[in-house]
Amino acid sequence: MELLQGTLDMLVLKTLLFGPLHGYGIAGAIRGTSNEALEIEFGSLYPALKRLEIKGWIASKWDMTELNRRAKFYRLTPAGRKHLVEEHSKWAEFVEAITSVMGPMPAAAARGARKG
Amino acid sequence: MNWQKLKYLLPSVRRQSEREMREELEALAALAGSGELGNLTLAAEDARAAWGWMWLSSLVADIRYGVRTLLRQPGFLLAAVLTLALGVGANTTIFSVMNATILRPLPFTDASRLVLVWKTSGGHENIISAPDYWDYKSQTHSFEEIAIFDSSGRGYNLSAMGLEPEQVPGLRVSASFFPLLGVHPMLGRAFLAEEDMPGKAREVILSYGLWKRRYGADAAIVGQTIKVDGDDFTVVGVMPLVWGGSSLAVPASCGYPLVIPKQITGVAITASSR
């Protein structure tokens, strides 16, 4: 499934809410939490991490993985946490607005789609 | 403005971030399976864009590349510079001329009603003979006034005891010339009607520049006699500064140091039609 434009930053911040992760781990966590529905390209994730870091919403530090390999771990900063709260309520409003327009699928349209 | 970005202007900071990035990507590549992370060079490239100075570094790189390319082809460089120089120069020159001759108004009274009339023969502009001029003057009713001038020729020789002889450009005009243009002498008077009759001319009007330079701005020069082409001419007037100092409908290159009515030949300047 393609990501909606502008949602990647939010997904990264949300994922880091549960603890520090390295770049590869973040991509895997998003894939897992979305039940394999969201495939994050590392090529877009990595620049997003650098962007968030410069904005001061995440910070990075070298550390060891569970398998004793070196990697750079990203964690949420207080500013990032604050930003995530804002993004979260914006996202909730957005979903509510779209849902009230779309509503449940009308039976007639569903029947039409089956015939066609 | 994100102040964090400013520090990436420093080459040392950029180098440091570059090293960190390479290290991190190598570590991740070792962590993940081969090929799972995709094109890491592209990822690093996009990540660099986050520093916010990509446009500046690519600009610097482009300039460097351009300079190197140009230096490798000096012939092309020379041609390009010359082309630009000539283009700019031509534009400037054309504008200067247009500005002086078309855009700026003539420094004459009622300049919009002045016309320059040429006689044509066989489709070409030609000079007007003195008899023709007199005929136009007495028989044409389209113009309020007609004057004639002659700016051709070699100029006029000035000589005097105790002064360096010199040749100056000059203009021969009819007596109606100055009144028609609405230009009045600063000192003395303009030419009288009888002074432009053939063979009678023995008067001269000086430009401000010549009067100041050669005659020391001496007001007493009016009424005195000076030698022009070896003959005695009486100075009857001196023109104001604006006369010679500004753009003119008549060829400005003449400079108007000297105005001498003589037997008239040449082109005509005429006042506009009614």
Side-chain angles (χ1 to χ4, degrees), chain B residues 28 63 89 159 213 227 267:
Chain B
L28 283 181
I63 289 172
S159 53
R213 179 171 58 77
K227 288 270 190 203
V267 292

Side-chain angles (χ1 to χ4, degrees), chain B residues 115-257:
Chain B
V115 288
L116 184 61
V117 178
W118 293 79
K119 187 178 169 179
T120 57
S121 60
H124 298 289
E125 290 167 352
N126 204 347
I127 56 171
I128 292 172
S129 70
D132 276 350
Y133 165 69
W134 291 116
D135 285 349
Y136 294 154
K137 199 167 166 64
S138 57
Q139 293 164 24
T140 316
H141 303 292
S142 306
F143 301 109
E144 259 175 51
E145 179 62 283
I146 298 179
I148 194 167
F149 69 88
D150 172 17
S151 60
S152 65
R154 75 263 181 289
Y156 297 86
N157 294 313
L158 298 179
S159 53
M161 296 292 283
L163 277 175
E164 281 285 310
E166 70 174 297
Q167 193 173 65
V168 292
L171 198 66
R172 287 189 289 161
V173 303
S174 62
S176 53
F177 186 75
F178 288 121
L180 184 154
L181 295 177
V183 180
H184 305 288
M186 186 181 71
L187 294 172
R189 58 168 175 82
F191 298 125
L192 304 175
E194 67 265 24
E195 285 171 352
D196 68 3
M197 299 308 280
K200 293 242 168 144
R202 283 295 178 267
E203 290 81 23
V204 61
I205 294 177
L206 308 177
S207 77
Y208 182 86
L210 184 74
W211 173 64
K212 204 171 169 195
R213 179 171 58 77
R214 189 170 170 92
Y215 301 102
D218 179 9
I221 192 75
V222 176
Q224 288 189 24
T225 302
I226 62 170
K227 288 270 190 203
V228 179
D229 285 350
D231 291 330
D232 286 336
F233 277 69
T234 308
V235 177
V236 295
V238 176
M239 279 294 156
L241 181 60
V242 62
W243 170 244
S246 191
S247 64
L248 298 162
V250 290
S253 58
C254 298
Y256 311 98

Side-chain angles (χ1 to χ4, degrees), chain A residues 1-113:
Chain A
M1 198 189 294
E2 294 266 316
L3 272 189
L4 273 179
Q5 194 96 44
T7 50
L8 178 59
D9 289 8
M10 185 174 76
L11 293 178
V12 170
L13 293 178
K14 176 67 195 261
T15 304
L16 291 178
L17 189 60
F18 306 111
L21 280 171
H22 52 69
Y24 183 54
I26 294 172
I30 293 177
R31 195 186 319 122
T33 347
S34 68
N35 296 320
E36 313 283 321
L38 295 177
E39 190 66 51
I40 308 290
E41 297 260 350
F42 185 75
S44 0
L45 174 65
Y46 188 67
L49 288 176
K50 294 290 128 185
R51 218 161 43 231
L52 294 173
E53 193 176 15
I54 284 176
K55 282 182 178 157
W57 293 336
I58 61 178
S60 65
K61 187 172 84 169
W62 285 98
D63 210 340
M64 289 302 186
T65 67
E66 292 149 24
L67 299 171
N68 238 7
R69 312 267 284 267
R70 244 166 68 82
K72 210 172 194 184
F73 280 75
Y74 295 88
R75 63 172 175 80
L76 205 57
T77 64
R81 198 174 294 264
K82 201 172 137 227
H83 183 73
L84 175 61
V85 172
E86 285 165 21
E87 286 293 297
H88 203 280
S89 54
K90 257 195 249 169
W91 172 251
E93 273 172 40
F94 178 74
V95 169
E96 198 178 326
I98 296 287
T99 308
S100 48
V101 173
M102 297 307 287
M105 178 65 91
R111 263 199 311 277

